Amino acid sequence: MSDKYCVFGNPIGHSKSPIIHSAFARQTRQDIQYTATLAPVEGFADAVASFIVSGGRGANVTVPFKQDAFQLVTRLTPRAELAGASNTLVFEGDEIIGDNTDGVGLLRDIMVNLGFPIAGRRILLLGAGGAARGVIGPLLEQHPQSMTIANRTTTRAAALAEHFAHLGPVSGCGYNELSGRSFDIVIDATSAALSGTMQALPAGTFAPGSLAYEMMYGRGETPFQRVARNQGAAMISDGLGMLVEQAAESFFVWRSVRPDCAPVMELLRGS
Ligand code: ATR
């Protein structure tokens, strides 16, 4: 019988994870079955328990359950602990191990796939929610010149910057404090793509040769990507690379085999 994995979310119909993991399994000849599971908003723990009873070996966790997953686990990997959220679970005997592959997925896409160095660069991270929190540690570990977290609610940005200050030069501010400043890497970690509107970015935010990175893949051109295009960002990513790379890292955690992401990105671009 195939080993069982799934992704828990609500909603979950839009998830590309089953396509990605099935493609990884074919490519690496791993005998796994990967499905999308809709868990009730108040019923995440029960959904996980039933999946384990039915023979589940591991799972991905997406919106809105990443914090619930963090609470449910019996053990955390250091990178999940740092992120304060878990997107990857491993079921081993009585243990539920929580890992987080989002940060590594973003780094691999920026540095390896896009060939864009992070060391010495000025990073602007938009948003101060769970998605932002998950990538701050890994980005700071790459020794950027600076990281500025800008958020609609300024106090959340300041609190997050304070939390990560021991890892590198990070500060928090409101969007109105960005005037006159330029950045080499601008990352959208807000959920503004869902509402279709975002806070304005002052002219000059994107330095010449800059990279604009949208972390929320799958919404066509988002307000952030439009602003980046209008302001002349040199490279604009829609986040597909991060989506596939974080999945590859989860697959590696479960199967100890590292799939090749390039053909899977091509498959998704074509679908
Ligand atoms: P997630 O886990 O996806 O990060 P979250 O914790 O609800 O979700 O955080 C959403 C982030 O997107 C927040 O930083 C939010 O800003 P606030 O803290 O001020 O609420 C940001 N956000 C959501 N909609 C936005 C919009 N239209 N413009 C700018 N920021 C927005």
Side-chain angles (χ1 to χ4, degrees), residues 76-85 99-101 104 134 138 249-250 253:
L76 283 167
T77 62
R79 60 189 179 181
E81 183 131 34
L82 187 64
D99 201 350
N100 193 309
T101 65
V104 110
E249 183 71 11
S250 296
V253 166

Side-chain angles (χ1 to χ4, degrees), residues 25 35 38 57 64-65 69 80-81 90 94 99 104 113 134 140 145 153-154 165 167 174 194 205 233 246 264:
T35 52
L38 178 75
R57 302 278 302 268
F65 299 125
E81 183 131 34
V90 182
D94 286 345
D99 201 350
V104 110
N113 300 339
L140 285 173
Q145 183 187 112
T153 313
T154 311
L167 293 178
L194 298 173
T205 297
Q246 62 79 28
V264 179

Side-chain angles (χ1 to χ4, degrees), residues 98-237:
D99 201 350
N100 193 309
T101 65
D102 283 332
V104 110
L106 176 67
L107 288 191
R108 254 189 220 132
D109 194 40
I110 292 180
M111 297 197 298
V112 182
N113 300 339
L114 302 176
F116 206 96
I118 293 174
R121 304 299 175 101
R122 296 161 297 178
I123 300 176
L124 172 61
L125 183 66
L126 304 177
R133 192 188 162 101
V135 299
I136 295 170
L139 285 166
L140 285 173
E141 282 167 3
Q142 297 303 315
H143 305 292
Q145 183 187 112
S146 62
M147 178 187 281
T148 304
I149 305 170
N151 197 45
R152 192 170 55 180
T153 313
T154 311
T155 48
R156 282 184 90 189
L160 212 49
E162 198 181 310
H163 182 79
F164 286 97
H166 64 290
L167 293 178
V170 54
S171 59
C173 68
Y175 285 79
N176 57 352
E177 293 164 77
L178 294 174
S179 299
R181 302 182 60 192
S182 295
F183 300 89
D184 308 301
I185 302 175
V186 184
I187 300 169
D188 182 26
T190 70
S191 52
L194 298 173
S195 69
T197 57
M198 68 174 279
Q199 302 288 107
L201 292 176
T205 297
F206 296 84
S210 60
L211 166 68
Y213 202 100
E214 171 62 80
M215 279 177 50
M216 189 171 278
Y217 173 71
R219 310 240 153 218
E221 189 179 59
T222 62
F224 170 74
Q225 287 169 274
R226 195 156 49 245
V227 169
R229 184 163 51 80
N230 290 338
Q231 286 205 20
M235 223 187 263
I236 301 177
S237 169

